[in-house]
Amino acid sequence: GESVGLHLPTLSVQEGDNSIINCAYSNSASDYFIWYKQESGKGPQFIIDIRSNMDKRQGQRVTVLLNKTVKHLSLQIAATQPGDSAVYFCAEAHMDSSYKLIFGSGTRLLVRP
Amino acid sequence: DAGITQSPRHKVTETGTPVTLRCHQTENHRYMYWYRQDPGHGLRLIHYSYGVKDTDKGEVSDGYSVSRSKTEDFLLTLESATSSQTSVYFCAMGLALNTGELFFGEGSRLTVL
């Protein structure tokens, strides 16, 4: 697989604690907001998405919060595990016929054992 | 395992030479994308396709062209490679407009000397 040594902001958490990863987006017209996880040497992997008409969505151990007032998106990971160590990207999309996803620059999550 | 493969996975070439990267999917997804990933920039969209022979430009399309002559293949061509095109290239596919979920390939690392 491939990976890129990105100079990223890093969040370090203790195993078992909750993690909160934040993202600021730019386009108030975006229809969807998405979180992706990228492990070392692999392509990004979809985690969860949320429509612009929602403010919260829950998945398995993850919750995404959307605050359109301040254009802020967050990903909460409950009971963080070593396997959660990765780079996390937020993305936004305007679902017209073009269906383009625009990615943010990413946050590295390190889980301490 | 996600039904999308990229080739070659690694390539070293010289400035001025043409390069073609291939993305092949077996899922019959309509939408396909090429992204590049560089330190400090995250993932940036180069070109995308919303059907056979239907393509459009992304954020960083200069110096790149694409072709999609059949649903399963999306080719990215650098007509005359430059050192600034040294990067990791990711192909992705998407099924529908009502979700932000894309499936990514494992990436192709291109080095232009």
Side-chain angles (χ1 to χ4, degrees):
Chain A
E2 297 298 333
S3 64
V4 178
L6 304 174
H7 301 291
L8 299 167
T10 299
L11 174 65
S12 179
V13 301
Q14 190 73 36
E15 181 179 356
D17 288 350
N18 296 334
S19 302
I20 300 176
I21 301 171
N22 297 303
C23 176
Y25 64 90
S26 57
N27 188 354
S28 58
S30 292
D31 298 306
Y32 279 88
F33 301 90
I34 312 102
W35 283 99
Y36 279 82
K37 173 186 180 183
Q38 186 176 27
E39 296 175 306
S40 181
K42 296 186 177 181
Q45 181 182 13
F46 173 86
I47 302 173
I48 191 169
D49 62 2
I50 186 169
R51 288 177 176 247
S52 59
N53 62 356
M54 301 170 64
D55 54 21
K56 181 179 180 179
R57 190 177 185 204
Q58 290 185 291
Q60 186 176 12
R61 274 202 313 120
V62 296
T63 301
V64 57
L65 299 178
L66 176 63
N67 185 331
K68 293 183 287 293
T69 302
V70 295
K71 295 184 183 177
H72 184 266
L73 186 69
S74 68
L75 178 70
Q76 301 178 0
I77 304 173
T80 311
Q81 302 170 0
D84 295 326
S85 292
V87 176
Y88 289 81
F89 293 95
C90 65
E92 56 186 300
H94 189 52
M95 295 302 181
D96 56 10
S97 59
S98 63
Y99 188 53
K100 294 183 290 186
L101 265 67
I102 303 300
F103 284 79
S105 55
T107 298
R108 187 181 305 278
L109 176 65
L110 294 178
V111 181
R112 303 188 304 272
Chain B
D1 56 296
I4 182 168
T5 55
Q6 296 182 223
S7 59
R9 297 293 312 283
H10 300 269
K11 186 173 181 65
V12 180
T13 191
E14 294 188 348
T15 298
T17 60
V19 176
T20 295
L21 304 180
R22 180 182 183 236
C23 180
H24 179 76
Q25 57 129 330
T26 58
E27 307 296 320
N28 202 35
H29 281 27
R30 177 180 176 184
Y31 303 93
M32 297 186 76
Y33 309 80
W34 277 107
Y35 286 86
R36 60 178 289 174
Q37 188 172 36
D38 305 288
H41 291 281
L43 288 145
R44 291 182 292 174
L45 182 63
I46 306 171
H47 280 281
Y48 61 99
S49 170
Y50 42 94
V52 173
K53 298 191 188 306
D54 290 324
T55 65
D56 206 345
K57 297 178 180 180
E59 307 167 83
V60 290
S61 60
D62 287 349
Y64 301 95
S65 63
V66 290
S67 66
R68 191 160 179 210
S69 59
K70 46 187 178 178
T71 300
E72 56 266 37
D73 290 325
F74 192 33
L75 304 181
L76 177 70
T77 297
L78 292 67
E79 299 291 347
S80 178
T82 67
S83 59
S84 65
Q85 292 176 313
T86 292
S87 187
V88 180
Y89 292 85
F90 286 97
C91 176
M93 61 182 180
L95 181 60
L97 283 174
N98 61 350
T99 173
E101 183 171 11
L102 298 185
F103 299 94
F104 282 82
E106 293 288 280
S108 296
R109 180 178 292 276
L110 175 66
T111 302
V112 184
L113 301 175

